Amino acid sequence: MNPPIPLFFAFSLALVGCLVTASVNRADDFSSDESETTLKARYESMFKIGVAASPFLLKGPLADHVKRQFNSLTPENCMKPEALYRGDGNYNFREADELVNFAQANGLAVRGHTLVWHSQTPRQFFCDEQGKQLGKDALYNRLEKYMTDVLTHFKGKVYCWDVVNEALADGGPILYRTESPWYKICGKEYIAEAFRLAHKIDPDIKLFYNDYNLINPVKRDRAVAMLKELKDANVPIDGVGMQAHWDIGSFNPQELQNSIDAFAALGLEVHITELDMSVYSLYHGPDNEKRNQSMAQKTYTPELASLQAEKYAEAFAVLRRNAGKVTGVTFWGASDRFTWLNHFPRPGRKDYPLLFDDDNQPKKAFYRVIEF
Ligand code: G3I
C-alpha cells in the first residue's frame, strides 16, 4: 500500500505543474493549446457566439482563430445590397458564397446581414432605368424580386436575417429615419412589408429587426413602440438585434437588462449582433477642445485593459442571466487588427474594442468573459 503523504505530494506537484502550464499557455502560446477553454465551448449551453468577418479575412491564422472560438458567422459587408445587387436579376454572390462555404465546412451557423437598409444600398435600387425615382408599388416589386432571389440563393444556409436595419431615428418628433429612401418612397409601412415578404418567401428563417443604441432609454422606447405596433399587426418578426457598439465610458449593464426585459416582454428573441467595447467615448457637446481630446489616440495601457475587461464582465454577467431570452451574441470583428473602429470615427485612430489583440491572442477581457 502506498503511503498517503507522498501520494498527496505527487498530486500537488502535478496540480502545480498543470496550473503553471496553463498560465504559460494563456500568456504566451494560446493558439497552440488545444485544451484551453474557448468562447463557444464556454457558452455552448447558453447562446451562439458569433463573429462578423469578410471572406478575404478567413484565411491563415485568422481562419483558425475564427473556427476555434466561434460557432456563428455574420458577413460584415458581403451580403449587403451594395455587395449583391447588380441591377434587376443580376447578382454578385461570389464573396457571400465564399463566406457561406467557409461556415458550412467548419460548422458555423450564418446570420444574414442585411436586406433592407438606407445605407450600403446602391442608388439604382431606388430608380428606374432612366434614373427616375421609383414609386411605392414599383419599389415593392423590386424588393420582392430581390428578396426572393437572395433568400432562395441562401435557402437552408442562412438561419436568420436582419430583415430591416436601422429604420429608427435617434430623436425628433417622427419615430422613423425620414431621410431614408425607403421611408421617403413608402412611408413607415416598408418595414412591415419587408418582414411579410421575407416570411412568405422562406417561412423557415428567423427574422430580425436590427439597430444601434438600443440600451439608450430614448432609443429603446422608440424601438419598443415600433416593434409593438408590428407585433400588434401580426407582422412576422422573431427577434430584435441589439448592435451593441458600446464603449468603456458609457456602458451601463442595468440599461442592457432593461432593454432585454422590454424586448422579451414583446415576445421577441434578443440577439446581440455587433458587439464591441471601444476604449473611446465620443463627446457630443459644443466644446471643441473636449471634442478634440475625445478624438485623440490613446495608448492601450494595462489600466485601460482592466477597465475594459470589467465592462465586458458586467455585460456578460447580464447576458448569462438572460440566456434563453438572449439566443445569440456576435462580436463585430475577430481581433483588434480588423475592427471597423480603426476607421471610425477617425480614420487611422487605433481602437482595441474586442476580446483578442492584433495577433489573435486573448486579452484580459477574454478571461473575464470565460470566468464564471
Ligand atoms: O470595398 C471598398 C474598397 O474597394 C475600397 O478600397 C475601400 C477604401 O476605403 O473601401 C471599401 O469599402 C469599405 C467597406 O466597409 C468594405 O470594407 C467602406 O469604405 C467602408 O465604409 C465600409 O464600412 C463598413 C460599414 O458598415 C459601412 O456602413 C464596415 O466595414 C462595417 O463594419 C460597417 O458595419 C455596420 C453594420 O453593417 C450596421 N451597423 C453598424 C456597423 C458599423 O458601422
Side-chain angles (χ1 to χ4, degrees):
M1 193 179 155
N2 290 326
I5 289 181
L7 224 192
F8 172 74
F9 188 60
F11 174 74
S12 305
L13 266 183
L15 183 67
V16 168
C18 284
L19 289 176
V20 169
T21 312
S23 74
V24 167
N25 281 331
R26 278 183 177 200
D28 303 333
D29 191 17
F30 176 80
S31 59
S32 66
D33 181 8
E34 292 301 318
S35 65
E36 188 83 52
T37 306
T38 63
L39 285 174
K40 70 178 178 191
R42 202 70 185 102
Y43 282 91
E44 193 170 18
S45 64
M46 292 180 230
F47 34 70
K48 287 191 174 66
I49 293 282
V51 65
S54 296
F56 74 91
L57 294 174
L58 297 170
K59 311 226 155 50
L62 199 86
D64 294 338
H65 170 57
V66 166
K67 287 187 242 176
R68 192 171 144 65
Q69 295 290 345
F70 305 95
N71 53 23
S72 173
L73 186 57
T74 301
E76 183 170 355
N77 288 298
C78 68
M79 280 190 199
K80 293 171 178 172
E82 178 182 75
L84 299 181
Y85 183 74
R86 293 290 179 272
D88 280 342
N90 293 312
Y91 301 91
N92 179 358
F93 286 121
R94 195 182 53 78
E95 280 195 51
D97 285 345
E98 210 184 305
L99 181 130
V100 168
N101 291 342
F102 175 91
Q104 291 202 314
N106 297 295
L108 288 91
V110 180
R111 265 201 109 256
H113 175 82
T114 175
L115 294 166
V116 173
W117 192 19
H118 64 278
S119 177
Q120 287 189 283
T121 302
R123 204 182 148 267
Q124 67 174 137
F125 199 102
F126 302 100
C127 298
D128 66 16
E129 279 173 2
Q130 283 70 48
K132 194 166 154 280
Q133 184 174 290
L134 296 177
K136 183 161 79 175
D137 291 342
L139 182 55
Y140 282 162
N141 285 340
R142 175 160 292 163
L143 179 62
E144 178 157 12
K145 168 91 179 123
Y146 177 78
M147 284 174 73
T148 303
D149 292 346
V150 170
L151 295 182
T152 306
H153 183 85
F154 294 115
K155 183 154 178 65
K157 299 175 177 172
V158 173
Y159 86 101
C160 75
W161 272 93
D162 292 328
V163 177
V164 177
N165 196 42
E166 302 173 4
L168 289 165
D170 295 321
I174 300 178
L175 216 50
Y176 303 93
R177 188 187 284 276
T178 51
E179 77 280 11
S180 161
W182 289 105
Y183 187 91
K184 280 188 179 152
I185 298 173
C186 309
K188 68 176 182 178
E189 75 173 38
Y190 78 89
I191 301 164
E193 180 72 11
F195 280 97
R196 289 197 175 105
L197 280 173
H199 183 69
K200 186 176 86 174
I201 297 162
D202 187 349
D204 296 331
I205 42 175
K206 294 214 172 199
L207 309 178
F208 278 72
Y209 174 74
N210 191 49
D211 213 331
Y212 60 85
N213 270 358
L214 292 183
I215 62 171
N216 172 305
V218 173
K219 188 81 175 274
R220 172 175 61 231
D221 288 352
R222 296 172 81 94
V224 166
M226 179 190 79
L227 293 164
K228 184 167 184 325
E229 200 175 303
L230 293 173
K231 289 290 283 183
D232 289 348
N234 287 322
V235 172
I237 172 168
D238 298 290
V240 56
M242 300 177 60
Q243 292 189 5
H245 294 297
W246 296 327
D247 69 72
I248 58 172
S250 69
F251 172 69
N252 179 331
Q254 185 56 52
E255 295 299 353
L256 171 59
Q257 182 63 60
N258 295 347
S259 294
I260 294 169
D261 289 343
F263 298 135
L266 293 173
L268 294 167
E269 269 179 59
V270 175
H271 279 185
I272 302 296
T273 52
E274 304 185 14
L275 177 56
D276 39 36
M277 186 71 75
S278 173
V279 301
Y280 302 95
S281 302
L282 263 186
Y283 170 76
H284 296 283
D287 185 330
N288 274 342
E289 200 175 317
K290 273 195 183 159
R291 184 174 164 72
N292 287 341
Q293 275 168 13
S294 83
M295 295 297 269
Q297 175 72 54
K298 279 188 185 174
T299 304
Y300 193 59
T301 59
E303 293 71 31
L304 211 48
S306 296
L307 179 57
Q308 183 186 46
E310 189 57 36
K311 297 294 157 189
Y312 262 118
E314 289 173 6
F316 272 82
V318 175
L319 298 174
R320 286 193 297 273
R321 266 204 314 275
N322 291 278
K325 295 177 183 168
V326 175
T327 52
V329 175
T330 289
F331 292 84
W332 205 242
S335 82
D336 285 348
R337 187 186 296 271
F338 302 107
T339 160
W340 72 293
L341 291 168
N342 288 336
H343 313 284
F344 180 89
R346 208 189 94 191
R349 185 185 68 172
K350 176 93 183 102
D351 204 339
Y352 308 86
L354 297 162
L355 298 188
F356 301 93
D357 69 13
D358 283 7
D359 299 316
N360 307 328
Q361 298 302 304
K363 298 163 43 179
K364 278 184 189 166
F366 169 84
Y367 293 110
R368 294 298 305 276
V369 165
I370 62 163
E371 272 164 22
F372 56 91

Short mmCIF file of all heavy atoms in Angstrom, two decimals, residues 162-204:
data_model
loop_
_atom_site.label_atom_id
_atom_site.label_comp_id
_atom_site.label_asym_id
_atom_site.label_seq_id
_atom_site.Cartn_x
_atom_site.Cartn_y
_atom_site.Cartn_z
N ASP A 162 -31.14 39.78 -40.61
CA ASP A 162 -31.54 41.14 -40.24
C ASP A 162 -32.35 41.65 -41.43
O ASP A 162 -31.79 42.07 -42.45
CB ASP A 162 -30.32 42.04 -40.01
CG ASP A 162 -29.54 41.63 -38.77
OD1 ASP A 162 -30.18 41.14 -37.81
OD2 ASP A 162 -28.31 41.80 -38.75
N VAL A 163 -33.67 41.59 -41.30
CA VAL A 163 -34.52 41.94 -42.45
C VAL A 163 -34.49 43.45 -42.67
O VAL A 163 -34.33 43.92 -43.79
CB VAL A 163 -35.97 41.46 -42.21
CG1 VAL A 163 -36.88 41.87 -43.36
CG2 VAL A 163 -35.98 39.94 -42.06
N VAL A 164 -34.66 44.19 -41.59
CA VAL A 164 -34.61 45.66 -41.68
C VAL A 164 -33.56 46.15 -40.69
O VAL A 164 -33.51 45.71 -39.55
CB VAL A 164 -35.98 46.29 -41.35
CG1 VAL A 164 -35.89 47.81 -41.38
CG2 VAL A 164 -37.05 45.80 -42.33
N ASN A 165 -32.72 47.05 -41.17
CA ASN A 165 -31.62 47.57 -40.36
C ASN A 165 -31.78 49.08 -40.17
O ASN A 165 -31.99 49.82 -41.14
CB ASN A 165 -30.30 47.29 -41.11
CG ASN A 165 -29.08 47.41 -40.24
OD1 ASN A 165 -29.07 46.96 -39.09
ND2 ASN A 165 -28.03 48.01 -40.77
N GLU A 166 -31.74 49.53 -38.91
CA GLU A 166 -31.63 50.96 -38.58
C GLU A 166 -32.72 51.83 -39.20
O GLU A 166 -32.43 52.86 -39.81
CB GLU A 166 -30.24 51.48 -38.97
CG GLU A 166 -29.12 50.72 -38.27
CD GLU A 166 -27.72 51.11 -38.77
OE1 GLU A 166 -27.61 52.02 -39.61
OE2 GLU A 166 -26.76 50.48 -38.33
N ALA A 167 -33.97 51.42 -39.02
CA ALA A 167 -35.08 52.22 -39.57
C ALA A 167 -35.50 53.36 -38.65
O ALA A 167 -36.21 54.28 -39.07
CB ALA A 167 -36.29 51.31 -39.82
N LEU A 168 -35.05 53.31 -37.40
CA LEU A 168 -35.49 54.32 -36.42
C LEU A 168 -34.57 55.53 -36.40
O LEU A 168 -33.35 55.40 -36.57
CB LEU A 168 -35.47 53.70 -35.02
CG LEU A 168 -36.55 52.66 -34.73
CD1 LEU A 168 -36.20 51.87 -33.47
CD2 LEU A 168 -37.91 53.34 -34.56
N ALA A 169 -35.17 56.71 -36.13
CA ALA A 169 -34.37 57.91 -35.91
C ALA A 169 -33.95 57.94 -34.44
O ALA A 169 -34.62 57.38 -33.58
CB ALA A 169 -35.19 59.14 -36.25
N ASP A 170 -32.82 58.60 -34.18
CA ASP A 170 -32.33 58.65 -32.79
C ASP A 170 -33.19 59.57 -31.92
O ASP A 170 -33.27 59.40 -30.72
CB ASP A 170 -30.88 59.15 -32.77
CG ASP A 170 -29.95 58.16 -33.47
OD1 ASP A 170 -30.16 56.94 -33.31
OD2 ASP A 170 -29.04 58.60 -34.19
N GLY A 171 -33.79 60.58 -32.54
CA GLY A 171 -34.63 61.52 -31.78
C GLY A 171 -35.56 62.22 -32.74
O GLY A 171 -35.68 61.83 -33.90
N GLY A 172 -36.22 63.29 -32.25
CA GLY A 172 -37.11 64.06 -33.13
C GLY A 172 -38.53 63.55 -33.04
O GLY A 172 -38.80 62.50 -32.46
N PRO A 173 -39.45 64.32 -33.63
CA PRO A 173 -40.87 64.03 -33.47
C PRO A 173 -41.33 62.76 -34.20
O PRO A 173 -42.32 62.14 -33.81
CB PRO A 173 -41.57 65.25 -34.06
CG PRO A 173 -40.56 65.85 -34.99
CD PRO A 173 -39.22 65.51 -34.45
N ILE A 174 -40.62 62.37 -35.25
CA ILE A 174 -41.04 61.18 -36.01
C ILE A 174 -40.16 60.01 -35.60
O ILE A 174 -38.94 60.15 -35.49
CB ILE A 174 -40.97 61.43 -37.53
CG1 ILE A 174 -41.91 62.60 -37.86
CG2 ILE A 174 -41.37 60.18 -38.32
CD1 ILE A 174 -41.92 63.00 -39.30
N LEU A 175 -40.81 58.89 -35.34
CA LEU A 175 -40.10 57.69 -34.87
C LEU A 175 -39.04 57.22 -35.86
O LEU A 175 -38.01 56.67 -35.48
CB LEU A 175 -41.15 56.60 -34.69
CG LEU A 175 -41.02 55.61 -33.54
CD1 LEU A 175 -40.80 56.30 -32.22
CD2 LEU A 175 -42.29 54.74 -33.49
N TYR A 176 -39.32 57.43 -37.13
CA TYR A 176 -38.53 56.76 -38.17
C TYR A 176 -37.47 57.68 -38.76
O TYR A 176 -37.55 58.90 -38.68
CB TYR A 176 -39.48 56.25 -39.27
CG TYR A 176 -40.51 55.32 -38.69
CD1 TYR A 176 -41.75 55.80 -38.27
CD2 TYR A 176 -40.20 53.99 -38.47
CE1 TYR A 176 -42.67 54.96 -37.68
CE2 TYR A 176 -41.12 53.15 -37.87
CZ TYR A 176 -42.35 53.63 -37.47
OH TYR A 176 -43.25 52.80 -36.87
N ARG A 177 -36.49 57.05 -39.40
CA ARG A 177 -35.43 57.77 -40.10
C ARG A 177 -36.03 58.28 -41.41
O ARG A 177 -36.09 57.57 -42.41
CB ARG A 177 -34.29 56.78 -40.37
CG ARG A 177 -33.04 57.37 -40.92
CD ARG A 177 -32.10 56.25 -41.28
NE ARG A 177 -31.46 55.66 -40.13
CZ ARG A 177 -30.36 56.15 -39.53
NH1 ARG A 177 -29.78 57.23 -40.01
NH2 ARG A 177 -29.84 55.54 -38.49
N THR A 178 -36.45 59.54 -41.38
CA THR A 178 -37.24 60.04 -42.52
C THR A 178 -36.39 60.30 -43.76
O THR A 178 -36.92 60.40 -44.87
CB THR A 178 -37.96 61.35 -42.13
OG1 THR A 178 -37.00 62.23 -41.58
CG2 THR A 178 -39.07 61.10 -41.13
N GLU A 179 -35.07 60.43 -43.59
CA GLU A 179 -34.24 60.70 -44.77
C GLU A 179 -33.90 59.43 -45.55
O GLU A 179 -33.29 59.48 -46.61
CB GLU A 179 -32.96 61.47 -44.39
CG GLU A 179 -31.86 60.65 -43.73
CD GLU A 179 -32.08 60.37 -42.24
OE1 GLU A 179 -33.19 60.64 -41.73
OE2 GLU A 179 -31.15 59.84 -41.59
N SER A 180 -34.33 58.28 -45.04
CA SER A 180 -34.09 57.03 -45.77
C SER A 180 -34.92 57.00 -47.04
O SER A 180 -36.11 57.35 -47.02
CB SER A 180 -34.50 55.84 -44.88
OG SER A 180 -34.70 54.69 -45.68
N PRO A 181 -34.33 56.58 -48.16
CA PRO A 181 -35.14 56.47 -49.39
C PRO A 181 -36.34 55.54 -49.20
O PRO A 181 -37.38 55.75 -49.82
CB PRO A 181 -34.18 55.90 -50.43
CG PRO A 181 -32.86 55.75 -49.78
CD PRO A 181 -32.92 56.21 -48.36
N TRP A 182 -36.19 54.54 -48.35
CA TRP A 182 -37.32 53.63 -48.09
C TRP A 182 -38.49 54.40 -47.50
O TRP A 182 -39.64 54.24 -47.93
CB TRP A 182 -36.90 52.51 -47.13
CG TRP A 182 -35.97 51.52 -47.74
CD1 TRP A 182 -34.62 51.41 -47.52
CD2 TRP A 182 -36.30 50.52 -48.71
NE1 TRP A 182 -34.11 50.41 -48.29
CE2 TRP A 182 -35.11 49.83 -49.02
CE3 TRP A 182 -37.49 50.15 -49.33
CZ2 TRP A 182 -35.08 48.78 -49.93
CZ3 TRP A 182 -37.46 49.10 -50.23
CH2 TRP A 182 -36.26 48.44 -50.53
N TYR A 183 -38.18 55.24 -46.51
CA TYR A 183 -39.25 56.00 -45.85
C TYR A 183 -39.81 57.04 -46.81
O TYR A 183 -41.03 57.24 -46.89
CB TYR A 183 -38.71 56.67 -44.58
CG TYR A 183 -39.79 57.33 -43.76
CD1 TYR A 183 -40.45 56.63 -42.76
CD2 TYR A 183 -40.18 58.65 -44.01
CE1 TYR A 183 -41.47 57.21 -42.02
CE2 TYR A 183 -41.19 59.25 -43.28
CZ TYR A 183 -41.83 58.53 -42.29
OH TYR A 183 -42.84 59.12 -41.57
N LYS A 184 -38.91 57.68 -47.55
CA LYS A 184 -39.36 58.75 -48.46
C LYS A 184 -40.35 58.19 -49.49
O LYS A 184 -41.33 58.83 -49.84
CB LYS A 184 -38.17 59.35 -49.20
CG LYS A 184 -37.42 60.36 -48.35
CD LYS A 184 -36.38 61.04 -49.22
CE LYS A 184 -35.62 62.07 -48.43
NZ LYS A 184 -34.26 62.26 -48.95
N ILE A 185 -40.08 57.00 -49.99
CA ILE A 185 -40.93 56.45 -51.05
C ILE A 185 -42.15 55.72 -50.49
O ILE A 185 -43.25 55.82 -51.04
CB ILE A 185 -40.10 55.51 -51.97
CG1 ILE A 185 -38.99 56.32 -52.65
CG2 ILE A 185 -40.98 54.84 -53.04
CD1 ILE A 185 -37.98 55.49 -53.45
N CYS A 186 -41.98 55.02 -49.39
CA CYS A 186 -43.06 54.13 -48.92
C CYS A 186 -43.69 54.55 -47.59
O CYS A 186 -44.71 53.98 -47.20
CB CYS A 186 -42.53 52.70 -48.73
SG CYS A 186 -41.65 52.06 -50.16
N GLY A 187 -43.06 55.48 -46.87
CA GLY A 187 -43.52 55.72 -45.50
C GLY A 187 -43.13 54.54 -44.63
O GLY A 187 -42.45 53.61 -45.07
N LYS A 188 -43.61 54.54 -43.39
CA LYS A 188 -43.14 53.52 -42.43
C LYS A 188 -43.56 52.10 -42.82
O LYS A 188 -43.01 51.12 -42.33
CB LYS A 188 -43.66 53.83 -41.03
CG LYS A 188 -45.16 53.67 -40.90
CD LYS A 188 -45.61 53.88 -39.46
CE LYS A 188 -47.11 53.68 -39.36
NZ LYS A 188 -47.63 53.82 -38.00
N GLU A 189 -44.54 51.97 -43.73
CA GLU A 189 -45.08 50.63 -44.00
C GLU A 189 -44.08 49.68 -44.67
O GLU A 189 -44.28 48.47 -44.71
CB GLU A 189 -46.37 50.71 -44.82
CG GLU A 189 -46.13 51.04 -46.26
CD GLU A 189 -47.42 50.95 -47.11
OE1 GLU A 189 -48.49 51.33 -46.63
OE2 GLU A 189 -47.30 50.52 -48.26
N TYR A 190 -42.95 50.24 -45.19
CA TYR A 190 -41.96 49.34 -45.83
C TYR A 190 -41.41 48.33 -44.83
O TYR A 190 -40.99 47.22 -45.21
CB TYR A 190 -40.83 50.14 -46.47
CG TYR A 190 -39.77 50.66 -45.52
CD1 TYR A 190 -38.64 49.90 -45.18
CD2 TYR A 190 -39.88 51.93 -44.94
CE1 TYR A 190 -37.67 50.37 -44.31
CE2 TYR A 190 -38.93 52.41 -44.06
CZ TYR A 190 -37.82 51.63 -43.75
OH TYR A 190 -36.86 52.10 -42.88
N ILE A 191 -41.43 48.69 -43.55
CA ILE A 191 -40.85 47.80 -42.54
C ILE A 191 -41.70 46.53 -42.44
O ILE A 191 -41.20 45.41 -42.56
CB ILE A 191 -40.74 48.54 -41.18
CG1 ILE A 191 -39.87 49.78 -41.36
CG2 ILE A 191 -40.20 47.61 -40.09
CD1 ILE A 191 -39.97 50.80 -40.24
N ALA A 192 -43.01 46.72 -42.23
CA ALA A 192 -43.92 45.56 -42.17
C ALA A 192 -43.88 44.78 -43.48
O ALA A 192 -43.86 43.54 -43.49
CB ALA A 192 -45.33 46.04 -41.86
N GLU A 193 -43.86 45.51 -44.59
CA GLU A 193 -43.86 44.85 -45.91
C GLU A 193 -42.64 43.93 -46.06
O GLU A 193 -42.76 42.79 -46.54
CB GLU A 193 -43.85 45.95 -47.00
CG GLU A 193 -43.85 45.45 -48.42
CD GLU A 193 -45.19 44.85 -48.86
OE1 GLU A 193 -46.20 45.02 -48.12
OE2 GLU A 193 -45.22 44.19 -49.92
N ALA A 194 -41.47 44.41 -45.61
CA ALA A 194 -40.24 43.61 -45.75
C ALA A 194 -40.35 42.32 -44.93
O ALA A 194 -39.97 41.24 -45.41
CB ALA A 194 -39.04 44.43 -45.31
N PHE A 195 -40.86 42.42 -43.72
CA PHE A 195 -40.99 41.20 -42.90
C PHE A 195 -42.01 40.23 -43.51
O PHE A 195 -41.79 39.02 -43.53
CB PHE A 195 -41.38 41.56 -41.46
CG PHE A 195 -40.20 42.02 -40.64
CD1 PHE A 195 -39.95 43.37 -40.46
CD2 PHE A 195 -39.33 41.10 -40.07
CE1 PHE A 195 -38.84 43.79 -39.72
CE2 PHE A 195 -38.23 41.51 -39.33
CZ PHE A 195 -37.98 42.87 -39.16
N ARG A 196 -43.12 40.78 -44.01
CA ARG A 196 -44.15 39.88 -44.60
C ARG A 196 -43.59 39.17 -45.82
O ARG A 196 -43.81 37.97 -46.02
CB ARG A 196 -45.39 40.70 -44.97
CG ARG A 196 -46.16 41.16 -43.75
CD ARG A 196 -47.58 41.59 -44.10
NE ARG A 196 -48.33 41.92 -42.89
CZ ARG A 196 -48.62 43.15 -42.50
NH1 ARG A 196 -48.28 44.19 -43.24
NH2 ARG A 196 -49.30 43.36 -41.36
N LEU A 197 -42.86 39.93 -46.64
CA LEU A 197 -42.28 39.31 -47.84
C LEU A 197 -41.28 38.22 -47.45
O LEU A 197 -41.31 37.11 -48.00
CB LEU A 197 -41.54 40.37 -48.66
CG LEU A 197 -42.38 41.26 -49.57
CD1 LEU A 197 -41.50 42.35 -50.19
CD2 LEU A 197 -43.03 40.41 -50.68
N ALA A 198 -40.42 38.52 -46.49
CA ALA A 198 -39.39 37.54 -46.09
C ALA A 198 -40.06 36.26 -45.60
O ALA A 198 -39.65 35.15 -45.96
CB ALA A 198 -38.49 38.12 -45.01
N HIS A 199 -41.10 36.41 -44.80
CA HIS A 199 -41.79 35.23 -44.25
C HIS A 199 -42.48 34.43 -45.35
O HIS A 199 -42.48 33.20 -45.35
CB HIS A 199 -42.80 35.66 -43.19
CG HIS A 199 -43.49 34.51 -42.55
ND1 HIS A 199 -42.83 33.63 -41.71
CD2 HIS A 199 -44.77 34.06 -42.63
CE1 HIS A 199 -43.67 32.70 -41.30
NE2 HIS A 199 -44.86 32.93 -41.85
N LYS A 200 -43.07 35.18 -46.31
CA LYS A 200 -43.75 34.50 -47.42
C LYS A 200 -42.74 33.70 -48.27
O LYS A 200 -42.99 32.56 -48.66
CB LYS A 200 -44.45 35.55 -48.31
CG LYS A 200 -45.31 34.96 -49.41
CD LYS A 200 -46.05 36.03 -50.19
CE LYS A 200 -45.20 36.57 -51.31
NZ LYS A 200 -45.84 37.50 -52.21
N ILE A 201 -41.57 34.28 -48.48
CA ILE A 201 -40.57 33.64 -49.34
C ILE A 201 -39.93 32.44 -48.65
O ILE A 201 -39.71 31.39 -49.26
CB ILE A 201 -39.49 34.66 -49.77
CG1 ILE A 201 -40.12 35.78 -50.60
CG2 ILE A 201 -38.36 33.99 -50.54
CD1 ILE A 201 -39.29 37.05 -50.70
N ASP A 202 -39.61 32.59 -47.37
CA ASP A 202 -38.96 31.49 -46.65
C ASP A 202 -39.44 31.47 -45.19
O ASP A 202 -38.84 32.12 -44.33
CB ASP A 202 -37.43 31.62 -46.71
CG ASP A 202 -36.76 30.39 -46.12
OD1 ASP A 202 -37.46 29.56 -45.49
OD2 ASP A 202 -35.53 30.25 -46.28
N PRO A 203 -40.51 30.72 -44.92
CA PRO A 203 -41.06 30.71 -43.55
C PRO A 203 -40.14 30.02 -42.54
O PRO A 203 -40.42 30.07 -41.34
CB PRO A 203 -42.37 29.93 -43.71
CG PRO A 203 -42.28 29.21 -45.00
CD PRO A 203 -41.28 29.91 -45.86
N ASP A 204 -39.05 29.42 -43.02
CA ASP A 204 -38.17 28.68 -42.08
C ASP A 204 -37.11 29.55 -41.42
O ASP A 204 -36.46 29.12 -40.47
CB ASP A 204 -37.45 27.53 -42.81
CG ASP A 204 -38.45 26.50 -43.31
OD1 ASP A 204 -39.50 26.36 -42.68
OD2 ASP A 204 -38.17 25.87 -44.35
#
